[in-house]
C-alpha cells in the first residue's frame, strides 16, 4: 500500500515538474515576445514622430508656396496672403510697441 502511494506521489511530482518546466518555457517565450513587441512599438512611435515632423514641414512649405504664388500674381490665395501679411504687420507693431515701453 505504501509502495503504491509512493509511486503515485512520485508520478504526480514528475508530472508537476514537467508541467512546471513547460509553463516556465512559455513564460520565457512570452517575455521575449513582449520585449520584441515593446521594441516594435517604440520604433513605430519614433517613425510616427518623424512622419508628423515631416508633415509639419511640408505644411509650412505648402503655406510658403501659396504665399509666394499669391505674391507673384496668382489669383488663388490672395486673400490668405493679405491676411497673413496683415497678421505679420500687427505682430511687428506689437513688438515695436513693447520695445517703446
Amino acid at each position: 500500500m505504501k509502495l503504491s502511494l509512493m509511486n503515485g506521489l512520485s508520478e504526480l511530482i514528475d508530472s508537476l515538474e514537467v508541467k512546471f518546466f513547460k509553463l516556465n518555457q512559455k513564460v520565457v517565450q512570452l517575455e521575449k515576445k513582449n520585449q520584441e513587441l515593446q521594441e516594435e512599438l517604440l520604433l513605430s512611435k519614433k517613425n510616427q514622430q518623424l512622419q508628423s515632423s515631416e508633415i509639419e514641414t511640408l505644411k509650412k512649405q505648402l503655406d510658403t508656396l501659396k504665399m509666394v504664388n499669391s505674391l507673384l500674381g496668382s489669383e488663388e490665395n490672395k486673400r490668405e496672403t493679405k491676411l497673413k501679411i496683415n497678421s505679420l504687420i500687427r505682430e511687428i507693431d506689437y513688438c515695436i510697441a513693447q520695445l517703446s515701453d
Side-chain angles (χ1 to χ4, degrees):
M1 183 78 166
K2 283 188 176 186
L3 186 59
S4 166
L5 183 60
M6 291 294 282
N7 285 341
L9 286 175
S10 179
E11 289 175 14
L12 181 61
I13 290 172
D14 289 343
S15 173
L16 287 174
E17 284 179 348
V18 169
K19 288 179 182 179
F20 176 77
F21 181 76
K22 287 180 181 179
L23 281 174
N24 194 38
Q25 284 181 324
K26 189 69 173 176
V27 167
V28 169
Q29 287 175 337
L30 289 173
E31 286 174 343
K32 182 179 178 184
K33 184 65 176 177
N34 186 34
Q35 182 65 32
E36 290 172 0
L37 289 172
Q38 286 179 355
E39 290 171 4
E40 186 179 328
L41 178 62
L42 184 62
L43 183 61
S44 293
K45 285 181 179 181
K46 286 181 181 180
N47 284 337
Q48 182 184 14
Q49 288 174 344
L50 288 173
Q51 290 172 346
S52 293
S53 176
E54 186 176 350
I55 287 171
E56 284 302 313
T57 301
L58 290 172
K59 283 181 180 179
K60 288 177 183 176
Q61 288 177 355
L62 178 62
D63 289 342
T64 302
L65 286 173
K66 285 180 180 179
M67 188 182 305
V68 168
N69 199 21
S70 295
L71 293 173
L72 292 175
S74 170
E75 290 301 318
E76 294 179 24
N77 306 320
K78 268 194 177 180
R79 184 177 189 289
E80 288 178 30
T81 303
K82 287 179 183 178
L83 291 173
K84 183 67 175 176
I85 290 171
N86 287 337
S87 172
L88 291 171
I89 291 171
R90 281 192 298 276
E91 286 183 40
I92 292 170
D93 287 342
Y94 175 76
C95 291
I96 291 170
Q98 292 293 319
L99 290 174
S100 297
D101 290 346

